[in-house]
Amino acid sequence: MTKNIAIIGASGYTGAELIRLLATHPSFVIKALAANSKAGQSMADVFPHLRHLDLPALVTWEEIDFDQIDLCFCALPHKTSQEVISKLPGHLKIVDLSADFRLRDPEEYTKWYGNPHIAIETQKEAVYGLTEFYRNEIKGARLVAGTGCNAATGQFILRPLIAGKVIALDDIILDMKCGVSGAGRSLKENLLHAELSEGYNAYSVGGTHRHLGEFDQEFSALAGEPVRIQFTPHLMPVNRGILATGYVKGDPKAVYQTLVDAYKDEPFIEVLPFGATPSTHNIRGSNFVHIGVTGDRIEGRAIVVAALDNLCKGSSGQALQNANLMLGEEETAGLMLAPCFP
Amino acid sequence: MTKNIAIIGASGYTGAELIRLLATHPSFVIKALAANSKAGQSMADVFPHLRHLDLPALVTWEEIDFDQIDLCFCALPHKTSQEVISKLPGHLKIVDLSADFRLRDPEEYTKWYGNPHIAIETQKEAVYGLTEFYRNEIKGARLVAGTGCNAATGQFILRPLIAGKVIALDDIILDMKCGVSGAGRSLKENLLHAELSEGYNAYSVGGTHRHLGEFDQEFSALAGEPVRIQFTPHLMPVNRGILATGYVKGDPKAVYQTLVDAYKDEPFIEVLPFGATPSTHNIRGSNFVHIGVTGDRIEGRAIVVAALDNLCKGSSGQALQNANLMLGEEETAGLMLAPCFP
Amino acid sequence: MTKNIAIIGASGYTGAELIRLLATHPSFVIKALAANSKAGQSMADVFPHLRHLDLPALVTWEEIDFDQIDLCFCALPHKTSQEVISKLPGHLKIVDLSADFRLRDPEEYTKWYGNPHIAIETQKEAVYGLTEFYRNEIKGARLVAGTGCNAATGQFILRPLIAGKVIALDDIILDMKCGVSGAGRSLKENLLHAELSEGYNAYSVGGTHRHLGEFDQEFSALAGEPVRIQFTPHLMPVNRGILATGYVKGDPKAVYQTLVDAYKDEPFIEVLPFGATPSTHNIRGSNFVHIGVTGDRIEGRAIVVAALDNLCKGSSGQALQNANLMLGEEETAGLMLAPCFP
Amino acid sequence: MTKNIAIIGASGYTGAELIRLLATHPSFVIKALAANSKAGQSMADVFPHLRHLDLPALVTWEEIDFDQIDLCFCALPHKTSQEVISKLPGHLKIVDLSADFRLRDPEEYTKWYGNPHIAIETQKEAVYGLTEFYRNEIKGARLVAGTGCNAATGQFILRPLIAGKVIALDDIILDMKCGVSGAGRSLKENLLHAELSEGYNAYSVGGTHRHLGEFDQEFSALAGEPVRIQFTPHLMPVNRGILATGYVKGDPKAVYQTLVDAYKDEPFIEVLPFGATPSTHNIRGSNFVHIGVTGDRIEGRAIVVAALDNLCKGSSGQALQNANLMLGEEETAGLMLAPCFP
């Protein structure tokens, strides 16, 4: 039986990625697409790569008749997202891709994002959307808050290790290398091809990246004590991909076995043989995560590397995976596309 | 009902692309994968991006039990392909992706490829694989010869115009810009990242590129007289994509209308509004072709631009489209993946 | 003896390129840098790659004391450039990099650029800045109008052929492939890395690109009759480089010899052996031009390919070459940097 | 007064980079170029970007008349380099760019490079070529061993900090991101454009990269006790550049001040303002190093990021800097080219 889907914020990269994935979904049908700044345009105008699809024209979100919608993806920027979602029908199932409902503590939200939260009651309904670790809660949720793409990548490395108590908690470093689409379709000088291609740099160094709010919340809850990690993102001259290199203190074989056990039944997470290292080349355009563990020459230290596609598994793919669960579909529906290589 | 598929030459890019497409095909099942130089290895070793799939290990093609195979893709280099195909069971349905069976005249084959043809009888069975123009023949064929990727792109522009007699035949120029995966997984200095990225150049200038053999054969047959076009390929620092800029003499509006009429029922070919120009960004990773027509400021001249993905529509996607027809499946099965942008 | 140099419009790419070249110039000293929108900032803030240089801070152009300046480069956008230059001291030597003084006919200027020309008298002083063909005029000029980067590339191919009457004038095609820095440091969606990398497209198709104004002016003057060529630019996913593929009708050997003769004493123009093809890889970051000629398989047709760096020889390098001439320096001073490969 | 220079191994990337730099050197003249596998060819054949230079044709190194050579650069692969250098005239001044003379302990050499050292006596003459720290020894040296490109980058971060005792020695991590030209002009599958562009991965994870031999030797000598760091390189889809992200334990302000003091008189090393982060974009094609220090949100931890061009400052630029010292030239001669951006 088909389900009717709406997307608010369809003119950004995560909106386009949702449509790409839904294009071959067996039961979800796109009924409405909203992008207030481009209302009236066709998706073929905004994203010509989708022109072969028979899609509804863009409208404002206020124009959508939500009575006929089974689930709504909200792919707006943070701050705007909470404003819009707080006005949507209270029974509407929603997967939000913004940062607005990820942090349970409104003060943490304000600390990391600068603005006060205006939908605190709605936030209380939200389930954190890291599917592999919140699967049951997501199945019954009305509102799911998609995770940050970096936050997802880091958690795929660290959650089992923290929960399994196989690493030291006070000395965790994530050195992350991120493709540029994570910054969205925004007109900034440093995102221009001429400024970005052929080079790379660190940014938000020293513990200032917003996704640390998610790491702090989730790792502290898991550990039952405050956990603070070091996390340094780097902007890479590629469009898609996140590679996280995790430096942890613990026995490499125990680290490896813990990850193997944690993910052995997961359809999208591949733990490579011990000593093998993942590459973003091998997950591009897909919902898969590759994880590799290696021991350092210094005893008691392990390097764990994880790769995923920030737009797919890190954002829109995760969102669809959650929507599948919320609507009683096969969790992998529409998501088994193989990576696009070369 | 499922159909059993074999792929010979599975360790190259077109082999990998076939597997990527077959990964979500509704009825084709991969029963055997051959790559003689890598027999014994798993596909996860050879192409880690396919490691999530449950695929047979690589064998030599001689080890395949063809009795259980409904159709075999042959993704070998030219020359090797004819040697192998001439030894396969005579009733086996085959889609060949090499150049070996594209040219009907063995002398033309030798002229363009340098070696004599050793499977001339088999060649006589072969149907030229440009689906949109040989659909009926392909449905009944035992052996289909996939077209060259450049040859396909150029023909999508020119066949309707030549058949429709709307352009001059003695003054046709195709300036083509080709992604590097068209050269295959071959270890050549000019294909190294350090040599290719950040720059570009023409090659095979002056009418020496092998795909001219196909243009000559097909356009002359269509026109009923010898047609010789100018064709200059350029190597681009991208992995996927062909953009052909065609310079023709004829009325732009007639050119446009002829293309619109030719492709109005084609599921994979999109003719853009008059004056719009396609981009390889918008077809990457997909089986779609975008075509745009513009009139020049000089009267009686039109510029026709076409874009497709050389590995997909230009090679493996076309091959699967043909296999669908040969086995009585829906022509579009497994091929409706949306382009991967950004 | 040192000469004092000012640059107006120092915060754009051509301004930065001028400073890069002047960094090792034997006698020119940068005395003033203006960028009205960024006045007060240091060049290290605006272009950190220049932070090792001891440069004056950015000021507004109105703040420059032109009495101490021997020559001023003006690297402003067109329209702004004429407004500023018309207010500069009347005796000041100026090399303008904008389009504002390239076209001698004000109506042509308005036709291609949309706005009326407000400095028609100043325009009359301007010498067209294609050094190799206007060397003597440039030596005595007060105001030199730098050429368009595409216009320069095309003229290096075509001027000797038109002057030498070795090609047909009514059937000339330039298919051009242009790096993105030619579009400047401007915040446009299609210039974002995520939109541009990994793909390419034609633009300004059909005879609408502004540099056609220069082609028309120069080629018609050379031929003594109106000449209209076809010119189609393509946006390439690289930062620097223009490759022009010229399709002409004429004897290839005569075409070749004409170019060899024309450029045999030129320090920056290299005509490759007959049949060789240039690559933008081989001129990147330099003031050199590589030109190659090949005969087509169709008799009487030649393909001429030229490559140069749009920011250097196509703009700031040419500007410095002209400034050298205007100030009586060695023409090649500061310009003999070898290309940066890989 | 001019000095006569020879280059052995001129057909690789570091050889080409030496020639690029020497092209504008005020007093060094290239008298001989050797590349045994390409002897007889011109440099224009092997590296067309150098075709404007009047260079000697390639010969075998045995053909060079070393009596007329003041200094010889040896840009051969390791192992070959020691074989050749041990046969060169004993008084010839040599700058070696290979790994063969970097490690003073022959057992360490064998451990990291696999082969026994066959020129142990010659090794004893060698001075480690990290100019900023071995300047006086280099001035008087006959043989200078250029450092590894990663080894140089890491030492620019860590040497002053170890010498200044401002960081803990047992917990140092270098996460390094390296452009592909560091791998040389070698035909390997993972260096192909189609395999490398648009993605990235870690390699030599866990303390297996050969440059660790240099880190161990140099840091232990500096500290007066064995020092073992963690070092993980990542292969980046760019041609030039190394960015090292160093994670150290120490007071960030003390770390910063130590680096500022160490480099305040160095012509090529720029320490950015506290909290600023370098980018490989800003040093590409130049001999400059940019270093930035930031404090982490966790007290007592600092992140130090350094960027340099692996081919220039990491290899050929360093080599020329050393040659300048060895021949009594200005240390910066030929090396003040500004970075090439964009």
Side-chain angles (χ1 to χ4, degrees):
Chain A
M1 208 187 67
T2 62
K3 303 286 166 56
N4 291 337
I5 303 295
I7 300 173
I8 300 176
S11 63
Y13 291 150
T14 54
E17 181 75 352
L18 279 168
I19 298 172
R20 180 176 82 93
L21 297 171
L22 290 169
T24 51
H25 193 284
S27 59
F28 288 2
V29 176
I30 298 173
K31 275 289 172 186
L33 295 172
N36 284 29
S37 67
K38 302 200 173 176
Q41 296 187 37
S42 73
M43 278 307 285
D45 291 334
V46 176
F47 283 117
H49 71 289
L50 299 173
R51 63 169 292 125
H52 65 285
L53 296 170
D54 186 22
L55 294 169
L58 291 169
V59 296
T60 65
W61 67 264
E62 293 91 340
E63 294 175 87
I64 298 177
D65 174 9
F66 288 103
D67 286 348
Q68 60 162 338
I69 299 300
D70 292 298
L71 185 141
C72 178
F73 292 102
C74 191
L76 295 167
H78 73 90
K79 190 159 181 291
T80 306
S81 193
Q82 54 183 274
E83 291 163 11
V84 170
I85 286 178
S86 63
K87 294 178 193 150
L88 294 180
H91 61 278
L92 181 68
K93 292 194 178 183
I94 299 171
V95 178
D96 183 36
L97 285 79
S98 86
D100 273 354
F101 297 97
R102 294 171 188 166
L103 299 180
R104 284 183 285 275
D105 180 346
E107 287 184 28
E108 281 293 298
Y109 178 81
T110 303
K111 170 181 150 193
W112 290 105
Y113 290 90
N115 53 297
H117 206 292
I118 64 150
I120 292 177
E121 287 309 304
T122 309
Q123 204 291 323
K124 289 178 182 163
E125 286 187 80
V127 171
Y128 190 66
L130 197 67
T131 325
E132 284 74 8
F133 297 95
Y134 286 88
R135 196 171 263 126
N136 284 332
E137 294 88 332
I138 291 164
K139 279 179 187 167
R142 182 187 81 84
L143 169 62
V144 169
T147 71
C149 52
N150 298 299
T153 316
Q155 290 181 70
F156 286 130
I157 290 178
L158 291 172
R159 289 188 76 107
L161 305 183
I162 291 172
K165 300 184 192 305
V166 293
I167 58 169
L169 295 181
D170 61 348
D171 212 353
I172 298 170
I173 291 173
L174 290 179
D175 187 284
M176 222 168 277
K177 296 91 178 167
C178 313
V180 68
S181 62
R185 205 177 202 180
S186 42
L187 295 178
K188 293 181 188 161
E189 215 166 66
N190 71 320
L191 306 182
L192 291 173
H193 187 281
E195 309 269 330
L196 179 55
S197 76
E198 307 172 33
Y200 39 94
N201 57 275
Y203 66 98
S204 297
V205 183
T208 60
H209 193 286
R210 287 161 163 179
H211 289 179
L212 277 166
E214 292 174 66
F215 286 137
D216 291 354
Q217 167 180 290
E218 295 297 310
F219 294 154
S220 299
L222 260 182
E225 59 177 289
V227 177
R228 294 289 174 273
I229 70 164
Q230 287 186 264
F231 158 45
T232 308
H234 298 73
L235 185 59
M236 293 288 111
V238 305
N239 293 338
R240 287 169 178 258
I242 294 182
L243 190 90
T245 308
Y247 297 93
V248 294
K249 292 186 170 158
D251 177 60
K253 290 287 183 181
V255 164
Y256 178 67
Q257 196 56 49
T258 301
L259 291 166
V260 167
D261 293 347
Y263 296 125
K264 65 179 187 300
D265 296 326
E266 288 298 339
F268 293 117
I269 304 188
E270 300 269 317
V271 180
L272 310 187
F274 188 82
T277 48
S279 167
T280 64
H281 293 99
N282 296 325
I283 47 75
R284 191 169 55 231
S286 83
N287 205 50
F288 296 97
V289 183
H290 286 191
I291 299 177
V293 180
T294 309
D296 195 76
R297 61 173 182 164
I298 301 175
E299 214 176 332
R301 300 191 190 178
I303 296 112
V304 189
V305 183
L308 56 74
D309 182 317
N310 59 298
L311 273 188
C312 193
K313 182 60 174 168
S315 190
S316 302
Q318 182 200 73
L320 178 54
Q321 198 176 342
N322 290 335
N324 283 335
L325 291 174
M326 293 163 78
L327 294 180
E329 296 292 313
E330 194 71 40
E331 182 176 331
T332 59
L335 290 166
M336 295 306 289
L337 284 72
C340 192
F341 175 89
Chain B
M1 209 187 69
T2 62
K3 304 285 167 55
N4 290 337
I5 303 296
I7 301 172
I8 300 177
S11 64
Y13 291 150
T14 53
E17 181 76 351
L18 280 167
I19 298 171
R20 180 177 81 93
L21 297 171
L22 290 168
T24 50
H25 193 284
S27 59
F28 288 3
V29 176
I30 298 173
K31 276 287 173 188
L33 295 172
N36 284 28
S37 67
K38 303 202 173 176
Q41 296 186 37
S42 73
M43 278 306 284
D45 291 334
V46 175
F47 283 117
H49 71 290
L50 300 173
R51 62 170 292 126
H52 65 286
L53 296 170
D54 186 22
L55 294 169
L58 291 170
V59 296
T60 66
W61 68 264
E62 293 91 341
E63 295 175 87
I64 297 177
D65 173 9
F66 288 103
D67 286 348
Q68 60 162 341
I69 299 299
D70 293 298
L71 185 141
C72 178
F73 293 101
C74 192
L76 295 167
H78 73 89
K79 192 159 180 295
T80 306
S81 192
Q82 54 183 275
E83 291 164 11
V84 170
I85 286 177
S86 63
K87 294 177 193 152
L88 294 180
H91 61 278
L92 181 67
K93 292 194 177 183
I94 298 171
V95 178
D96 183 37
L97 284 78
S98 86
D100 273 353
F101 297 97
R102 295 170 187 167
L103 299 180
R104 284 183 286 274
D105 180 346
E107 288 184 28
E108 281 293 297
Y109 178 81
T110 302
K111 170 179 151 195
W112 290 105
Y113 291 90
N115 53 297
H117 206 292
I118 63 151
I120 292 177
E121 288 309 304
T122 309
Q123 205 290 322
K124 289 177 182 162
E125 286 186 81
V127 171
Y128 190 68
L130 198 66
T131 325
E132 285 74 8
F133 298 95
Y134 286 89
R135 195 170 264 126
N136 285 331
E137 294 86 334
I138 289 165
K139 279 179 187 166
R142 182 187 81 84
L143 170 62
V144 169
T147 70
C149 52
N150 297 299
T153 315
Q155 290 181 70
F156 286 129
I157 291 177
L158 291 171
R159 289 188 77 109
L161 307 182
I162 291 172
K165 299 184 193 304
V166 293
I167 58 170
L169 295 180
D170 61 349
D171 212 353
I172 298 170
I173 292 173
L174 291 180
D175 187 283
M176 222 168 278
K177 297 92 177 164
C178 312
V180 69
S181 62
R185 205 178 202 180
S186 42
L187 296 178
K188 294 181 188 160
E189 215 165 65
N190 71 321
L191 305 183
L192 291 173
H193 187 281
E195 309 270 329
L196 178 55
S197 76
E198 310 172 30
Y200 39 94
N201 57 275
Y203 66 99
S204 297
V205 183
T208 60
H209 193 286
R210 288 162 162 179
H211 291 178
L212 277 166
E214 292 174 65
F215 286 137
D216 291 355
Q217 167 181 288
E218 295 297 311
F219 294 153
S220 299
L222 260 182
E225 60 176 291
V227 177
R228 295 288 174 272
I229 70 164
Q230 289 186 262
F231 158 46
T232 307
H234 298 73
L235 185 59
M236 292 288 112
V238 304
N239 292 338
R240 288 169 178 259
I242 295 182
L243 190 90
T245 309
Y247 297 92
V248 294
K249 291 184 172 159
D251 176 60
K253 290 286 184 181
V255 163
Y256 178 69
Q257 196 56 48
T258 302
L259 290 167
V260 167
D261 293 347
Y263 296 125
K264 65 179 187 300
D265 296 324
E266 287 298 341
F268 294 117
I269 304 188
E270 299 269 319
V271 180
L272 310 187
F274 187 83
T277 48
S279 166
T280 64
H281 292 99
N282 296 326
I283 48 74
R284 190 168 58 232
S286 84
N287 205 49
F288 295 96
V289 183
H290 286 191
I291 300 178
V293 180
T294 309
D296 195 75
R297 61 173 183 163
I298 302 174
E299 216 176 330
R301 302 193 189 177
I303 297 113
V304 189
V305 184
L308 57 74
D309 182 317
N310 59 299
L311 275 187
C312 193
K313 183 60 174 167
S315 189
S316 302
Q318 183 201 73
L320 178 53
Q321 198 176 343
N322 290 335
N324 283 334
L325 290 174
M326 293 163 78
L327 294 180
E329 298 291 313
E330 193 72 38
E331 183 177 330
T332 59
L335 290 166
M336 295 306 287
L337 284 73
C340 192
F341 175 88
Chain C
M1 209 188 67
T2 62
K3 303 286 167 56
N4 292 335
I5 302 296
I7 301 173
I8 301 177
S11 63
Y13 291 150
T14 54
E17 182 75 352
L18 279 168
I19 298 172
R20 180 176 82 93
L21 297 171
L22 290 169
T24 51
H25 193 284
S27 60
F28 287 3
V29 175
I30 298 174
K31 276 287 173 186
L33 295 172
N36 284 29
S37 67
K38 303 200 173 176
Q41 296 187 37
S42 73
M43 278 306 285
D45 291 334
V46 175
F47 283 117
H49 71 289
L50 300 173
R51 61 169 294 125
H52 66 285
L53 297 169
D54 186 22
L55 294 170
L58 291 169
V59 295
T60 66
W61 69 264
E62 293 91 341
E63 294 174 87
I64 298 178
D65 173 9
F66 288 103
D67 285 347
Q68 59 162 340
I69 299 300
D70 293 297
L71 185 141
C72 178
F73 292 101
C74 192
L76 295 167
H78 72 91
K79 191 160 180 291
T80 306
S81 193
Q82 54 183 274
E83 291 164 10
V84 170
I85 286 177
S86 63
K87 294 177 192 150
L88 294 179
H91 61 278
L92 181 67
K93 293 194 177 184
I94 299 171
V95 178
D96 183 35
L97 285 78
S98 86
D100 273 354
F101 297 97
R102 295 170 187 166
L103 299 181
R104 285 183 285 275
D105 180 346
E107 287 184 27
E108 282 292 298
Y109 177 81
T110 303
K111 170 181 151 193
W112 289 105
Y113 291 90
N115 53 297
H117 206 292
I118 63 151
I120 292 178
E121 287 308 305
T122 309
Q123 204 291 322
K124 288 179 183 162
E125 286 187 81
V127 172
Y128 190 67
L130 198 67
T131 324
E132 285 74 8
F133 298 95
Y134 286 89
R135 195 170 264 127
N136 285 332
E137 294 87 334
I138 290 165
K139 279 179 187 166
R142 183 188 80 84
L143 169 61
V144 169
T147 70
C149 52
N150 298 299
T153 315
Q155 289 181 71
F156 286 129
I157 291 177
L158 291 171
R159 289 188 77 108
L161 306 183
I162 292 172
K165 299 186 193 303
V166 293
I167 58 169
L169 296 180
D170 61 348
D171 213 352
I172 298 171
I173 291 173
L174 291 179
D175 186 284
M176 223 168 277
K177 296 91 177 166
C178 312
V180 69
S181 62
R185 204 177 204 181
S186 42
L187 296 178
K188 293 180 188 161
E189 216 165 64
N190 70 322
L191 305 182
L192 291 173
H193 187 280
E195 309 268 329
L196 178 55
S197 76
E198 309 172 32
Y200 38 95
N201 57 276
Y203 66 99
S204 297
V205 183
T208 60
H209 193 286
R210 289 161 163 180
H211 291 177
L212 278 166
E214 292 174 65
F215 287 136
D216 290 355
Q217 167 180 290
E218 296 297 311
F219 295 153
S220 299
L222 261 181
E225 60 176 288
V227 177
R228 294 289 174 272
I229 68 165
Q230 288 186 263
F231 159 45
T232 308
H234 298 72
L235 185 59
M236 292 288 112
V238 306
N239 293 338
R240 287 170 178 258
I242 295 182
L243 190 90
T245 308
Y247 297 92
V248 294
K249 291 185 171 158
D251 176 59
K253 291 286 183 181
V255 164
Y256 178 68
Q257 197 56 49
T258 302
L259 290 167
V260 167
D261 293 347
Y263 296 124
K264 66 178 186 300
D265 297 325
E266 288 297 340
F268 294 117
I269 303 188
E270 300 269 318
V271 180
L272 310 187
F274 187 83
T277 48
S279 166
T280 64
H281 293 99
N282 296 326
I283 48 75
R284 190 169 54 230
S286 83
N287 205 50
F288 295 96
V289 183
H290 286 191
I291 299 178
V293 180
T294 309
D296 194 76
R297 61 172 183 164
I298 302 175
E299 215 176 331
R301 300 192 190 178
I303 296 112
V304 188
V305 183
L308 57 75
D309 182 317
N310 60 298
L311 273 188
C312 193
K313 182 60 173 168
S315 190
S316 302
Q318 182 201 73
L320 178 54
Q321 198 176 344
N322 290 335
N324 283 333
L325 291 174
M326 293 162 78
L327 294 179
E329 298 291 314
E330 194 72 37
E331 182 176 331
T332 60
L335 290 167
M336 294 307 288
L337 284 73
C340 193
F341 175 88
Chain D
M1 208 188 69
T2 63
K3 303 285 165 56
N4 291 337
I5 303 296
I7 301 173
I8 301 177
S11 64
Y13 291 150
T14 54
E17 182 75 351
L18 279 167
I19 298 171
R20 180 175 82 93
L21 297 171
L22 290 168
T24 51
H25 193 283
S27 59
F28 288 3
V29 176
I30 297 173
K31 275 287 171 187
L33 295 172
N36 285 28
S37 67
K38 304 202 173 175
Q41 295 187 37
S42 73
M43 278 306 285
D45 291 334
V46 175
F47 283 117
H49 71 289
L50 300 173
R51 63 170 292 126
H52 65 286
L53 295 170
D54 185 21
L55 294 170
L58 291 169
V59 296
T60 65
W61 67 264
E62 293 90 341
E63 294 175 88
I64 297 177
D65 174 10
F66 287 103
D67 285 347
Q68 60 161 341
I69 299 300
D70 292 298
L71 185 141
C72 178
F73 293 100
C74 191
L76 295 167
H78 73 91
K79 191 159 180 294
T80 306
S81 192
Q82 55 183 274
E83 291 164 10
V84 170
I85 285 178
S86 63
K87 295 177 193 150
L88 295 179
H91 62 278
L92 182 66
K93 292 193 178 186
I94 299 171
V95 178
D96 183 35
L97 286 76
S98 86
D100 273 354
F101 297 98
R102 294 170 188 167
L103 299 181
R104 285 183 284 274
D105 180 347
E107 288 185 27
E108 282 292 298
Y109 179 81
T110 303
K111 170 181 150 193
W112 290 105
Y113 291 90
N115 54 296
H117 205 290
I118 63 149
I120 291 176
E121 288 309 306
T122 309
Q123 206 290 322
K124 289 177 183 162
E125 286 187 82
V127 171
Y128 190 68
L130 197 66
T131 325
E132 285 74 7
F133 296 96
Y134 286 89
R135 195 169 264 125
N136 284 332
E137 294 88 333
I138 290 164
K139 280 179 187 167
R142 182 187 82 83
L143 169 61
V144 169
T147 70
C149 52
N150 298 299
T153 316
Q155 289 180 70
F156 286 130
I157 291 177
L158 292 172
R159 289 188 78 107
L161 306 183
I162 292 173
K165 300 185 192 304
V166 293
I167 58 169
L169 296 180
D170 61 348
D171 212 354
I172 297 170
I173 291 173
L174 291 179
D175 188 283
M176 222 168 278
K177 296 91 178 165
C178 312
V180 69
S181 62
R185 205 177 201 180
S186 43
L187 295 178
K188 294 182 187 159
E189 214 165 66
N190 70 321
L191 306 182
L192 291 173
H193 188 280
E195 309 269 329
L196 178 56
S197 77
E198 308 173 31
Y200 39 94
N201 58 274
Y203 67 98
S204 298
V205 182
T208 59
H209 192 286
R210 288 160 164 182
H211 289 179
L212 277 166
E214 291 174 67
F215 286 136
D216 291 355
Q217 166 180 289
E218 295 297 310
F219 295 152
S220 299
L222 260 183
E225 59 177 292
V227 176
R228 295 288 174 273
I229 70 164
Q230 287 187 262
F231 159 44
T232 307
H234 298 74
L235 186 59
M236 292 288 111
V238 305
N239 293 338
R240 289 169 177 258
I242 294 183
L243 189 89
T245 309
Y247 296 92
V248 294
K249 291 183 172 159
D251 176 60
K253 289 287 184 180
V255 163
Y256 178 68
Q257 196 56 48
T258 301
L259 291 167
V260 167
D261 293 346
Y263 296 125
K264 65 180 186 299
D265 295 327
E266 288 298 339
F268 294 117
I269 304 189
E270 300 269 318
V271 180
L272 310 188
F274 187 82
T277 48
S279 166
T280 65
H281 293 99
N282 295 326
I283 48 75
R284 190 169 55 231
S286 84
N287 205 50
F288 295 96
V289 183
H290 286 191
I291 299 178
V293 180
T294 309
D296 195 75
R297 61 172 182 163
I298 302 175
E299 216 175 330
R301 301 192 189 177
I303 296 113
V304 188
V305 183
L308 56 74
D309 181 317
N310 59 300
L311 273 187
C312 193
K313 181 60 175 167
S315 189
S316 302
Q318 183 201 71
L320 178 53
Q321 197 176 344
N322 290 335
N324 283 334
L325 291 174
M326 293 162 78
L327 295 179
E329 296 292 314
E330 194 71 40
E331 182 177 330
T332 59
L335 290 167
M336 295 306 289
L337 284 73
C340 192
F341 174 88

